[in-house]
Amino acid sequence: MLHSIVVVGSAAHASNASGSDVDVVIICKEDGLETVQGAVAGQELDEALSAKSEPALEFTVIGPSETERLFALASPFSFALGQGIVLDDDGYLG
């Protein structure tokens, strides 16, 4: 269902300020994209209602076709992924 989980942004570089969120990119296989998007949306809603997550986690859920399009464009997103901390990867980013 998942290809990769990557922490990006200031948290990946230990330059985040107190109270900053932690940006996490989840790259899903196409057949799992909707399921993961729904699960993440539900988790974010639960956290917002309970205000228990400190620091806040900010998720981006994306499929391989969009990821590959952004890499082809050499977008800032692709640079952030390349400089991020890979928590899990099935070889997709390899």
Side-chain angles (χ1 to χ4, degrees), residues 8-72:
V8 298
S10 60
H13 306 289
S15 62
N16 52 328
S18 178
S20 293
D21 63 357
V22 175
D23 299 300
V24 180
V25 177
I26 301 172
I27 303 172
C28 301
K29 296 178 181 177
E30 288 295 343
D31 63 352
L33 186 58
E34 286 185 33
T35 301
V36 174
Q37 286 174 328
V40 166
Q43 178 66 26
E44 288 175 339
L45 180 60
D46 288 346
E47 288 177 5
L49 293 174
S50 68
K52 67 179 177 182
S53 180
E54 192 62 39
L57 297 175
E58 184 71 32
F59 294 99
T60 299
V61 180
I62 191 167
S65 58
E66 182 66 8
T67 302
E68 290 162 20
R69 186 184 75 77
L70 292 170
F71 273 113

Side-chain angles (χ1 to χ4, degrees), residues 2-16:
L2 299 180
H3 277 305
S4 308
I5 302 173
V6 184
V7 175
V8 298
S10 60
H13 306 289
S15 62
N16 52 328

